Amino acid sequence: MSERPYVIDTMISAKAIAARIEELSKEITAEYSDTDKLVVVGLLRGSFVFIADLVRELDLPIEVDFLEASSYGDSTESSREVRILKDLRGAIEGRDVLVVEDIVDTGHTLKHVTHLLNSRKPKRLNTIALLDKPSRREVNIRADWIGFEIPDEFVVGYGIDFAQRNRNLPYIGKVRFLADAE
Ligand code: IMP
Ligand code: MG
């Protein structure tokens, strides 16, 4: 990737994220109040911080599993192809499942993953995304719960990367490239 210099402007503070997760967790806890055990599926790698905070607010018996799908190279452009790089460890047939995604952008990843997991006949499958960029959508899909709708900006932090960097920022920031010195 290019080494073009950039700065990160705060878009959503750590405090605002925590407050929103508290609200969403109440809704999810109510939705699954009758579950014997909810399988919370994190999509690697971008959702790892979100899922960690989310599950600690859920007042439900849960399991955690992970799935890795690739739709991105180390760039800011999404590709249409979605491949499963790492599948779930556990079976989900007849189970309650919540898929946790960092961002829904074009929608290809979430569409592919929900289609795949639904083919395994879960009892109930819902989706949550921390961020949604509706203006970028190429396929008709929406997460059942959304943390924040954001404009078409490239964001980092709170688990989300730019070429594997900036995942450890505690807030969501937007990448702003500095003008080329040419
Ligand atoms: P989609 O398949 O286009 O919806 O892409 C979803 C994936 O692209 C997300 O899970 C992210 O990993 C990645 N992505 C989309 N927008 C951004 C962004 O602004 N920053 C970093 N990664 C992003
Ligand atoms: Mg992702």
Side-chain angles (χ1 to χ4, degrees):
M1 76 143 268
S2 77
E3 296 297 317
R4 246 178 107 192
Y6 62 91
V7 293
I8 297 167
D9 300 325
T10 304
M11 183 187 262
I12 307 169
S13 71
K15 214 173 147 187
I17 297 169
R20 185 70 183 122
I21 289 177
E22 221 184 294
E23 288 174 0
L24 291 165
S25 300
K26 285 190 182 123
E27 293 180 26
I28 293 165
T29 298
E31 167 71 23
Y32 290 99
S33 59
D34 61 344
T35 193
D36 23 306
K37 197 155 7 104
L38 175 65
V39 186
V40 184
V41 172
L43 300 194
L44 293 172
R45 286 171 261 180
S47 72
F48 81 104
V49 176
F50 181 36
I51 195 175
D53 281 346
L54 184 70
V55 294
R56 284 179 287 178
E57 294 289 333
L58 294 180
D59 190 11
L60 296 168
I62 67 145
E63 272 176 34
V64 172
D65 206 340
F66 293 97
L67 186 140
E68 184 171 10
S70 79
S71 67
Y72 252 62
D74 283 346
S75 81
T76 55
E77 282 304 309
S78 179
S79 79
R80 316 286 160 254
E81 195 195 337
V82 180
R83 284 180 304 142
I84 300 300
L85 302 180
K86 183 206 168 295
D87 206 340
L88 299 178
R89 288 291 296 274
I92 56 164
E93 185 175 352
R95 312 280 312 270
D96 287 324
V97 178
L98 177 67
V99 175
V100 181
E101 174 62 309
D102 54 356
I103 308 183
V104 184
D105 186 40
T106 65
H108 289 282
T109 306
L110 194 63
K111 182 148 196 175
H112 184 92
V113 167
T114 52
H115 188 251
L116 172 74
L117 297 185
N118 273 322
S119 75
R120 299 177 185 175
K121 308 260 179 289
K123 181 168 137 206
R124 176 166 40 170
L125 183 140
N126 286 314
T127 55
I128 180 169
L130 179 66
L131 304 175
D132 186 17
K133 292 190 208 173
S135 65
R136 295 262 307 161
R137 203 71 90 252
E138 292 175 6
V139 291
N140 184 22
I141 189 141
R142 196 168 193 274
D144 297 299
W145 290 280
I146 290 159
F148 302 91
E149 264 192 20
I150 60 168
D152 182 11
E153 301 277 2
F154 197 82
V155 296
V156 291
Y158 199 73
I160 300 165
D161 72 303
F162 177 29
Q164 302 308 324
R165 295 175 63 183
N166 312 120
R167 289 192 197 273
N168 55 329
L169 285 178
Y171 56 88
I172 300 285
K174 67 178 175 194
V175 169
R176 179 162 54 87
F177 290 100
L178 298 173
D180 291 325
E182 56 178 340

